[in-house]
Amino acid sequence: MTRDARPLAVFDLDGTLADTAHRQRFLERAPRDWDGFFAAAPHDPPLARGVELARESARECEVVYLTGRPERCRADTEAWLAAQGLPPGALTMRRDDDRRPARRTKLERLRRLARGRTVRMLVDDDELVCDDAERAGFTVVRARWASASAALKDAQEREGRT
């Protein structure tokens, strides 16, 4: 089987592979400190269950990373993925000026990926993203292994920042 024929396993980052708990404080103040929030991302501890699932998935699938992080965080994000020993894969990020809710941007990207390839699964911690992806016919693994943050959930939906 050639690499291009393998199905895709699509992984979110924050709350799925990366533990963002240490940087939630930047979102719990008004106004939210987005620069501080993203500047702290390189220090995220990995979430063992998510990392293990990504590694297992890479045996049969091509791994793709789909994050709501803005494009300006690409270098830090790529370095973090490599430092965790995660499988290589395309990294799709939000445009710096895109403020749409994560559920909209991610579903749009999933549909685009599915035009040319089979998407075996999406692994994400955002319940709204998961709900919309399931309604659209995608297989979803809900990443419920990290502590949920009300501030992050609100930011994802209302401010379209991650």
Side-chain angles (χ1 to χ4, degrees), residues 16-103:
T16 300
L17 298 173
D19 186 349
T20 63
H22 72 101
R23 54 187 168 112
Q24 295 308 313
R25 68 184 187 278
F26 295 106
L27 302 182
E28 293 167 353
R29 59 178 81 149
R32 291 185 169 124
D33 179 2
W34 288 105
D35 290 338
F37 179 77
F38 289 120
H43 307 291
D44 290 352
L47 290 166
R49 287 183 59 192
V51 170
E52 180 182 338
L53 184 56
R55 289 178 181 154
E56 288 173 6
S57 298
R59 293 183 191 133
E60 295 182 11
C61 298
E62 181 177 341
V63 173
V64 173
Y65 301 100
L66 176 59
T67 181
R69 291 181 187 184
E71 186 64 42
R72 69 181 179 275
C73 300
R74 179 171 291 278
D76 284 344
T77 301
E78 288 174 340
W80 186 89
L81 289 166
Q84 307 316 311
L86 282 152
L91 172 60
T92 302
M93 304 182 83
R94 179 190 297 271
R95 289 187 332 264
D96 287 335
D97 63 346
D98 188 346
R99 298 288 185 265
R100 293 175 296 153
R103 61 191 169 91

Side-chain angles (χ1 to χ4, degrees), residues 1-7 60 62 117:
M1 178 178 285
T2 66
R3 183 166 177 81
D4 289 345
R6 295 189 311 160
E60 295 182 11
E62 181 177 341
R117 302 281 291 280

